Amino acid sequence: MSFEISNVGSRFESSASEGYTIKFPSTTKDNGSPSHDLMGDCNRVFALIDDERYIAAQQLYASIEERMKAHSSRFQSPSKNGLLRRRKNRKLVDTENEKFKSVEDFLTGRRDELENLQEKASIFKRAKETLRESDDWILSQNMFGVTTYYRHEADESLSIKMEGVLDNAPIFEQIAVLREIDLYQDWAPFCSSSVVIKQLDKLDSIGWMVIGAPQLGLSRDSIFRAIGCDNMVEDGSVIICAQGLQDRPDTEPFAEPFLATGVDNLKYPEVPTGLGSGRMTIRNFSALITFHSATCFETKLVANVNPNLPLPQYVIDFVMRKMCGVLLSKLQTAAKKASKDPVRCAHARKVRQEKEFYNSWLLPKFEAYCETMKWEMPKVNALHLTDRQLEEEFEYNEQKKNKYFRNSLYGRK
């Protein structure tokens, strides 16, 4: 995919091809509790990782490590080992040692995956703690059922916090709106361009977007990495964390260094240099979506962003608070549109295009959770078009093809 970057005058090639596999979720009924089968628990850890359940996977892995340490202490002590060999059949002891050695070898062979697990789980745990803090926040406004707070940090940067309970909103479509970075330009306030640079995993993306105020002649782009964690079985929530990339001096550290690791080899847009343009710094972004029913959920969001604008700080603070105040309302509107207009809505069409992810992975998760909670799962209209809607979709696609052909013929964008 290629696109033009506003105020840069160059073209950038996106490499958002998938380099990961999507399997049917196998842990929707797994509460992550340790079992008596140590090797079975090891396999469960990696199944939980595949299902993006990092906190549950890390907790189960921690219990495995504890059992491994207990075994090592028990069987490597000469006095205790001698006592055991007198009291037990030697063959049983050797069998036990072989079992733990097999587990140790298995885990050693997948050390890199486990290190990534520890890093991601730590990020999500810290995000949950931050989102649940209630200290030092100053009330800014209450709009569309969303309450916005702000506070100035020690480095004089501005943090924004938003909380709101959204009712009569489709939860499945809500996740689709959040995941599809390409479509942020269709609903996010003041966002004029957006694209996925690289989809690293099912819930791990590197994106780029431009936010601007044309009437003021100002625009800012941003590059960021966003990751997600399914925590529904544990507490009915989904966690999203993000951090900017290529947006600060080398002397300024990242709050979460892991999110900036291993992604230097990608091709990124250059920093805009046009009049009134530049790049904002996303120091951190965390969101917690907690489901109260199949159509009602609470969203908490905390972000620390420096727009790097040559304006008085009080003006920046005012604009940021007002802009963020409508964000959740716009998000809800986009999700409802995906449900009400499954033929033409870009998000609904994306759900059908990426059916392997949405139909074979995400939908079974929500169906299983609704079944556990005894909720009726709302029908995902994007995946259940009627015969008439299928005809409308065909006609709509033909119109888009013809329009694209005409524009290409006459050199229009």
Side-chain angles (χ1 to χ4, degrees):
M1 178 189 300
S2 65
F3 58 92
E4 291 188 0
I5 302 176
S6 176
N7 299 321
V8 176
S10 62
R11 294 187 71 83
F12 173 73
E13 295 294 329
S14 169
S15 58
S17 58
E18 295 183 0
Y20 57 92
T21 58
I22 298 177
K23 304 175 184 176
F24 189 87
S26 61
T27 67
T28 55
K29 302 296 183 182
D30 189 342
N31 63 8
S33 298
S35 72
H36 296 296
D37 182 357
L38 192 62
M39 182 59 81
D41 284 354
C42 291
N43 288 313
R44 288 171 60 210
V45 166
F46 293 101
L48 289 166
I49 293 174
D50 284 341
D51 283 353
E52 307 286 343
R53 293 179 57 192
Y54 294 103
I55 293 179
Q58 191 274 334
Q59 291 172 344
L60 182 57
Y61 175 57
S63 77
I64 293 172
E65 285 191 310
E66 290 176 3
R67 284 177 278 174
M68 294 290 289
K69 289 178 181 178
H71 172 80
S72 178
S73 173
R74 181 184 177 198
F75 282 90
Q76 289 185 6
S77 171
S79 59
K80 291 182 179 179
N81 195 42
L83 180 62
L84 282 167
R85 287 182 183 274
R86 288 193 298 270
R87 293 183 177 178
K88 293 185 177 181
N89 185 288
R90 180 171 179 173
K91 185 177 180 180
L92 291 176
V93 174
D94 291 342
T95 300
E96 190 77 0
N97 283 332
E98 289 174 4
K99 181 179 74 172
F100 276 84
K101 181 65 167 58
S102 297
V103 169
E104 183 179 7
D105 292 343
F106 176 78
L107 296 176
T108 300
R110 306 186 72 168
R111 185 60 54 190
D112 290 346
E113 294 173 74
L114 293 171
E115 289 177 356
N116 286 342
L117 165 64
Q118 298 283 30
E119 292 283 357
K120 285 188 175 182
S122 297
I123 291 172
F124 291 123
K125 286 181 178 180
R126 284 192 290 270
K128 287 187 72 174
E129 292 175 3
T130 299
L131 288 158
R132 286 170 176 167
E133 287 179 358
S134 57
D135 297 337
D136 304 325
W137 289 102
I138 302 170
L139 177 64
S140 174
Q141 64 184 6
N142 195 310
M143 183 185 300
F144 307 117
V146 178
T147 305
T148 306
Y149 304 86
Y150 71 96
R151 73 181 179 197
H152 291 96
E153 306 296 350
D155 61 357
E156 298 185 354
S157 63
L158 178 71
S159 288
I160 301 288
K161 179 179 182 179
M162 290 177 284
E163 297 179 342
V165 176
L166 304 179
D167 205 354
N168 297 318
I171 58 177
F172 182 91
E173 286 82 352
Q174 197 87 21
I175 299 299
V177 171
L178 287 169
R179 183 178 184 264
E180 298 304 330
I181 296 172
D182 280 345
L183 302 178
Y184 281 11
Q185 61 194 17
D186 291 353
W187 65 270
F190 305 105
C191 181
S192 59
S193 299
S194 60
V195 76
V196 176
I197 295 175
K198 184 72 174 180
Q199 190 74 40
L200 300 173
D201 209 331
K202 296 181 289 295
L203 300 180
D204 188 349
S205 308
I206 296 178
W208 169 87
M209 65 180 180
V210 176
I211 293 177
Q215 65 273 26
L216 300 177
L218 297 172
S219 71
R220 286 294 181 270
D221 85 337
S222 66
I223 301 170
F224 57 92
R225 181 179 179 183
I227 59 176
C229 175
D230 172 10
N231 216 44
M232 288 192 293
V233 175
E234 287 67 45
D235 60 12
S237 71
V238 172
I239 312 164
I240 300 170
C241 298
Q243 181 177 260
L245 300 172
Q246 307 284 313
D247 64 354
R248 67 200 72 193
D250 293 338
T251 54
E252 182 178 338
F254 289 96
E256 299 294 354
F258 174 79
L259 293 181
T261 302
V263 294
D264 293 333
N265 60 336
L266 298 177
K267 186 177 180 181
Y268 295 106
E270 297 177 359
V271 177
T273 57
L275 182 64
S277 63
R279 177 161 294 166
M280 73 176 91
T281 302
I282 303 177
R283 291 195 174 93
N284 62 69
F285 172 98
S286 303
L288 179 69
I289 304 170
T290 305
F291 304 109
H292 297 317
S293 76
T295 58
C296 176
F297 53 90
E298 179 181 10
T299 300
K300 293 184 179 181
L301 186 155
V302 172
N304 182 280
V305 177
N306 181 1
N308 298 315
L309 285 169
L311 295 173
Q313 188 61 43
Y314 73 89
V315 175
I316 295 174
D317 291 0
F318 176 80
V319 173
M320 291 287 290
R321 296 201 304 267
K322 293 299 180 183
M323 184 172 69
C324 291
V326 301
L327 181 65
L328 293 184
S329 174
K330 292 286 188 180
L331 175 65
Q332 183 182 30
T333 300
K336 287 183 176 180
K337 183 180 178 182
S339 180
K340 291 180 179 179
D341 185 11
V343 174
R344 294 172 180 80
C345 175
H347 288 101
R349 293 167 62 82
K350 194 79 168 182
V351 167
R352 289 193 295 278
Q353 291 168 7
E354 297 194 19
K355 210 166 184 178
E356 186 179 11
F357 171 79
Y358 286 107
N359 193 48
S360 302
W361 190 80
L362 187 62
L363 184 61
K365 279 177 166 286
F366 277 111
E367 288 176 335
Y369 184 65
C370 286
E371 180 183 351
T372 299
M373 300 302 294
K374 298 185 177 2
W375 298 340
E376 182 179 352
M377 172 75 187
K379 185 173 73 171
V380 179
N381 292 328
L383 295 172
H384 296 90
L385 298 186
T386 64
D387 290 342
R388 176 56 187 157
Q389 286 174 327
L390 288 171
E391 292 176 4
E392 291 176 4
E393 182 183 40
F394 177 80
E395 294 171 1
Y396 183 71
N397 289 338
E398 289 299 306
Q399 291 173 5
K400 288 180 69 71
K401 288 178 184 177
N402 292 335
K403 182 178 179 180
Y404 177 80
F405 176 76
R406 289 195 301 271
N407 290 343
S408 300
L409 186 63
Y410 295 107
R412 300 172 188 163
K413 294 181 181 178

